[in-house]
Amino acid sequence: MSVFETPVARQRGKRFQASDPRARGTAGIGREPVLAERHLVGSGVPGTGGASLWAEHGEGLRASADRALRAVLDWNGAPEQVSAPFPFKETLTHFQGAGRAHAEPELVVSLRDAHSRLPGRISMVETWLPSTFDQEDGDYSSYICAPVFAFVAPEGGAHDADDALIATAMADLLLIETAALEATPHRRQQVRAKAAARALTRLAELAPSFGVDAQARDAAVSELSRGAGEPGPAGRGLAESVVGSVRSEIREAVDLALLPTTRLHDELMFIRCIQVFEGIYRRVAVALNRARDGLSVGDHVSVRAELEEAATRVEAMPVLFRILTTMPVDVFAVIRAYTNGRSAVQSRAYHEVEYVSAPRNPGPDAEGSKRPDPGGPTLEEIYLKERERVPSEVTAAMTRLDRAWRAMKLSHWGITLKIIGDVPGTGGTSGASYLRTAADTALFPCLAQDGGRP
C-alpha cells in the first residue's frame, strides 16, 4: 500500500458556514501586507520579486478550490470497507496556487474535520493534514512541514534518509528556479537560479551520505563556469538525477512539504532553504550525540569522524545563505507578516545542537524556544572530564566545528540585518541584535577560553 493510502470511514461533513472561526484566512495579518502581496502577484512578472508560476487568480483559483473540495468531501464520505487514497494532488494544487492564507475556507474546515476523524494510526495523511489548517495556531514546525520529513526519516533511523531529503529539496528548488528563469529571464531570476545551482553542486559537503552523480555534478560546475554562468541543461540534469535517484516516499514527502502561505515565488525558495537548514541541523545534532557517546567510552576515532563530518556540513552552509540574499527586501516584508510567530528560534534541532554541546543559560529572548534535555552530561562536560586522555585531533575537530557554527550564525545575523533591519523577530526575540549575541556564543565555551588547546 502506498504511503498515500489509508483505510477511510467517513460521513460527509456539515457544510461550511462563513462565520466558522476555524477558517482564519488573512485575518490578523493586516491590510498592508495583503495589499502588498496582491500588488506583487499582479505585477505580471513571475519569479523572483513576483508571483510563483503556480499562482492562481479568479476563475482558475475558484476552479482549483472546487476540485479540491469535491475530492476531500468524497474522500470523507468513502464507505468503511473502502481503502481510498487521499486526494493529495487536488489539495496541494489549490494550496500552492492560493497560498495557505488564501485557501478556500470551506476546504480548510473540511480538511480539519477529516483529520479529526482519522482512526489514529500514523500515516502520511495524518501527518500532513495539520499543516493545511494551521492558519490560526501554526508554528515553525508546521510551516516547514517538519513532521512530514520526520515521517520518512524518523529519529534514530538511517541518516541517509535525512541526506536524501536535503538533496531532493535542494534539487527541487533548482528545478523551480530554472522553470522561473525560462518563463522570465530577468537579472534577478538569473542570480537566484545560479545561486541554487551552485548550492546543488555542493551536495557532497551538505549531504555527505547522498551519492550524487559525479559526472552530472561536474557537468553542472562546468556549465556555471562558462558564459553567463546560468544553470542550463546540465544544471537541470543534475537536479533531475538527484530527484530520480531517491525513493518514491522521499519525493512524495518533499512535494507535500511545499505549502506556502502566499502566492509569492520567493516564499517557495524561503521554505526550501529553511527545510535544508533544518535537515542539516538534525544531522549535526545526531553527530554531536554520537560524539558524546563515543567520547564517554574513549572511542576517539569515531568522535573525530563525527565532528569532522558535522563541521564539513556547517562550513558549506554559506552557499545556502547566498540563495537567501537574493530575496527582495519588500517581498520578504510581506512573507514575514504572513508568517509572524513561525520563527526559526523554535527549531528543535538547532537548539539540540547547542544544548548537547555544552551547558547553556538561555537568556530572556529564548523563553519561547525549544530547550531539549541533553539527557546526560554534554559533550563539553565529558571532554573536560577526560581532557588529559583526549587526543589533540579531537580537540582540533571540536575547534573546527565551533568556528564553523559561529561563522554560520554570524552569516545569519548579517542577512537578517540586510533584509529586515534591526527590528523585533517574529518569534518574540529582539531580532538582529539577538542573532548577533547568539553569534558570539561559542559552541564549546571551554575552547574559546583557552584557544582550543588540549
Side-chain angles (χ1 to χ4, degrees), residues 75-76 110-118 125-127 129-130 133:
W75 185 80
N76 279 343
S110 295
L111 291 168
R112 185 187 291 271
D113 289 344
H115 182 263
S116 70
R117 293 197 298 273
L118 283 170
V125 63
E126 186 173 19
T127 302
L129 278 177
F133 54 77

Side-chain angles (χ1 to χ4, degrees), residues 41 106 268 313 329 331 348 365 373 380 418:
V41 170
E106 185 174 358
L268 305 180
R313 291 179 189 268
V329 173
V331 176
R348 178 182 178 275
D365 270 327
D373 180 357
E380 180 179 89
K418 174 184 177 181

Side-chain angles (χ1 to χ4, degrees), residues 138-354:
D139 58 11
Y140 173 77
S141 179
S142 69
Y143 177 58
I144 65 171
C145 294
V148 172
F149 279 14
F151 181 78
V152 294
E155 289 188 19
H159 65 282
D160 60 344
D162 277 321
D163 278 356
L165 286 167
I166 291 170
T168 307
M170 291 177 63
D172 185 63
L173 172 60
L174 178 55
L175 292 174
I176 289 171
E177 299 302 345
T178 53
L181 182 60
E182 291 175 357
T184 174
H186 57 75
R187 175 61 180 164
R188 289 194 297 188
Q189 189 57 47
Q190 291 171 342
V191 172
R192 168 74 60 74
K194 182 176 180 179
R198 287 200 181 282
L200 192 61
T201 64
R202 303 283 296 280
L203 271 183
E205 300 151 83
L206 293 165
S209 73
F210 183 80
V212 65
D213 184 324
Q215 185 175 356
R217 179 199 60 210
D218 293 345
V221 170
S222 177
E223 182 178 71
L224 289 170
S225 67
R226 297 193 305 266
E230 295 177 12
R236 289 192 296 274
L238 174 59
E240 289 165 357
S241 74
V242 169
V243 174
S245 68
V246 299
R247 304 193 318 267
S248 60
E249 291 86 353
I250 297 292
R251 292 196 301 272
E252 290 163 339
V254 171
D255 287 344
L256 288 174
L258 194 56
L259 285 175
T261 61
T262 70
R263 291 174 291 169
L264 298 176
H265 176 83
D266 294 271
E267 191 180 4
L268 305 180
M269 175 275 288
F270 183 63
I271 291 173
R272 283 294 186 234
C273 281
I274 56 180
Q275 286 171 339
V276 172
F277 281 126
E278 190 70 10
I280 294 173
Y281 295 152
R282 267 179 59 124
R283 293 318 311 168
V284 172
V286 168
L288 285 165
N289 275 297
R290 290 176 175 172
R292 179 179 63 168
D293 294 343
L295 194 59
S296 67
V297 297
D299 185 359
H300 300 134
V301 173
S302 68
V303 171
R304 178 184 177 186
E306 293 288 352
L307 293 173
E308 288 185 341
E309 180 179 295
T312 296
R313 291 179 189 268
V314 179
E315 287 168 350
M317 289 177 74
V319 297
L320 301 172
F321 285 114
R322 178 67 187 92
I323 302 173
L324 287 172
T325 62
T326 64
M327 172 92 75
V329 173
D330 58 334
V331 176
F332 187 65
V334 174
I335 296 171
R336 192 168 184 268
Y338 273 85
T339 57
N340 188 44
R342 305 169 185 231
S343 170
V345 76
Q346 299 163 354
S347 167
R348 178 182 178 275
Y350 174 90
H351 289 291
E352 185 176 359
V353 169
E354 301 218 318

